[in-house]
Amino acid sequence: MSKKLVLLMTMILCAIFLAACNSEEGAANAKMNDPLVMVWYPNESGSEMAGARDAFGKIFEEATGRKVEQKLTTDYAIAIESIASGNAQVAFMGPQGYIEANNKSADVQPIVVPSGSSGTLEDAVYYSWLAVPKDKADEYKVNGEFAIDTIAGKKFSFVSASSTSGFKVPSSSIIAHFTKQDAYKALTQDDLIEANALFPEVLFGDSHQGSAVNMIMERADVAAFCDTCVSAYVDLVEGEANTAGAVYRVKDDAAAPFNNLPGEEFVLISATPVLNSPFVVNTSALTEEEITKLTELLISDETTNDPTIFVPKDSGEIGLFYKSGDERFVKVEDAWFDPIRKLSE
């Protein structure tokens, strides 16, 4: 091969390489200029949560330098698919929803969860409730104590099949208890998605608030939902928080969907601790630098002390998180959610 031909081929290869580099750089720059899409579950998509969502939007915009676009949903599946496909880059979702998104795409990874009041992962839990109208509470007692056996034959409301505290955890407990009895030994979690041998009617509220309303309005006899998702709408009026027998009352000024239910009361018949919900990212839709900046800003003292993020409990403001002790965001890895994965095994 002549020296001229070798030189020509070398020049062509260099040109192709430079063009590819420029193309990749251009694509990266275009990506950096695109809006950062945050997707929210139905629980956090209500108008009353706009201020709380915007507070996080400001954090994400500061961390990435990108305009933030809020994607609201009416269905868990939409949020899960949005983050798994990369159409959204950031999401706040329950552990079960995260696991489903991660199963769809390993690019979906958790970055932080809110800690417990200790400021660590040791007590980073919230609670899955089973609740009934206060005037019906005695129907769920055996020898003066609340008993899960009493829910057999009742109309039941879950949140969504993709909800951790509104389906996965309570359904797992229900199956573990009732399959010890001959009448229900063949019952599975999947059976609980629709009318079954245990529950003649099964409803889904599509949000924790919706499931609670199903119970309060007696569309369902018993409802599963979580404490944090309804804390802005109800007050503890009797008993110890997150324990069987605790009585909660809808606030007089509660926002929708509780706005027509002021003063209505319900009682917990059980409360089960659940791993806290993560903020997750799609690692293929964000740069490593963006993910690092976002994580570091979330766990910073600046965010920890921001009253629009961790709202003071006595402020009267509606937020996603209410300050408890040394609560803050802490880093978390995929393996932390393995206990929730095992509920499906």
Side-chain angles (χ1 to χ4, degrees):
M1 185 179 295
S2 70
K3 291 184 179 180
K4 287 184 177 180
L5 183 57
V6 170
L7 180 60
L8 178 61
M9 291 180 67
T10 301
M11 292 174 64
I12 291 172
L13 289 173
C14 286
I16 292 173
F17 176 77
L18 289 172
C21 288
N22 289 335
S23 177
E24 289 180 4
E25 183 178 353
N29 288 335
K31 182 178 177 181
M32 293 290 288
N33 290 327
D34 287 343
L36 178 73
V37 180
M38 297 172 55
V39 65
W40 298 97
Y41 271 180
N43 313 309
E44 290 80 39
S45 290
S47 59
E48 74 281 0
M49 293 290 183
R53 293 192 300 266
D54 289 344
F56 280 97
K58 290 177 182 177
I59 285 182
F60 298 147
E61 187 169 322
E62 180 181 343
T64 64
R66 295 164 65 174
K67 181 181 178 181
V68 171
E69 180 181 308
Q70 309 271 5
K71 181 179 178 66
L72 310 183
T73 64
T74 57
D75 189 293
Y76 275 53
I78 296 172
I80 292 168
E81 184 58 37
S82 294
I83 190 69
S85 66
N87 288 329
Q89 292 82 50
V90 184
F92 177 64
M93 56 203 325
Q96 178 61 26
Y98 159 64
I99 290 166
E100 291 183 20
N102 176 259
N103 286 342
K104 288 176 176 286
S105 172
D107 291 329
V108 180
Q109 292 292 318
I111 52 172
V112 301
V113 296
S115 74
S117 59
S118 70
T120 72
L121 288 174
E122 292 298 318
D123 54 350
V125 297
Y126 63 112
Y127 289 85
S128 172
W129 289 349
L130 295 187
V132 300
K134 183 183 178 183
D135 62 354
K136 302 292 178 62
D138 287 344
E139 297 178 16
Y140 300 89
K141 292 181 179 180
V142 174
N143 297 324
E145 300 290 333
F146 288 106
I148 194 171
D149 287 295
T150 58
I151 68 175
K154 300 294 188 179
K155 293 183 295 183
F156 202 99
S157 177
F158 291 110
V159 173
S160 162
S162 295
S163 171
T164 310
S165 56
F167 182 76
K168 186 60 66 174
V169 167
S171 65
S172 177
S173 297
I174 289 167
I175 291 297
H177 179 84
F178 281 99
T179 51
K180 295 175 183 177
Q181 304 175 23
D182 287 343
Y184 307 110
K185 63 182 179 181
L187 203 63
T188 68
Q189 277 188 317
D190 288 342
D191 292 331
L192 299 187
I193 293 176
E194 56 188 8
N196 55 80
L198 185 62
F199 303 133
E201 186 175 348
V202 173
L203 294 79
F204 284 92
D206 297 324
S207 68
H208 288 266
Q209 297 92 331
S211 186
V213 169
N214 279 343
M215 175 271 302
I216 294 172
M217 297 189 70
E218 299 190 17
R219 298 172 188 143
D221 300 309
V222 187
F225 52 96
C226 82
D227 62 324
T228 57
C229 288
V230 300
S231 61
Y233 310 91
V234 303
D235 290 318
L236 175 68
V237 294
E238 186 179 328
E240 183 180 348
N242 296 313
T243 61
V247 180
Y248 290 82
R249 179 184 298 149
V250 177
K251 296 179 180 180
D252 290 339
D253 60 349
F258 297 89
N259 53 311
N260 294 319
L261 301 168
E264 293 289 339
E265 295 183 343
F266 60 85
V267 178
L268 305 189
I269 62 173
S270 77
T272 305
V274 182
L275 295 178
N276 272 353
S277 299
F279 274 98
V280 309
V281 296
N282 187 307
T283 58
S284 69
L286 291 173
T287 66
E288 185 175 341
E289 182 181 6
E290 286 176 320
I291 294 170
T292 298
K293 286 183 177 179
L294 185 55
T295 304
E296 293 302 320
L297 187 53
L298 282 169
I299 66 174
S300 70
D301 289 341
E302 177 186 351
T303 298
T304 300
N305 298 320
D306 186 340
T308 68
I309 300 296
F310 289 104
V311 179
K313 287 186 176 180
D314 58 355
S315 68
E317 298 295 323
I318 292 179
L320 292 180
F321 307 99
Y322 292 88
K323 188 70 171 179
S324 174
D326 295 325
E327 184 177 3
R328 63 188 300 131
F329 290 116
V330 291
K331 291 182 181 179
V332 71
E333 296 181 352
D334 172 81
W336 193 66
F337 298 99
D338 283 348
I340 303 299
R341 281 192 177 91
K342 291 178 180 178
L343 295 178
S344 300
E345 294 178 354

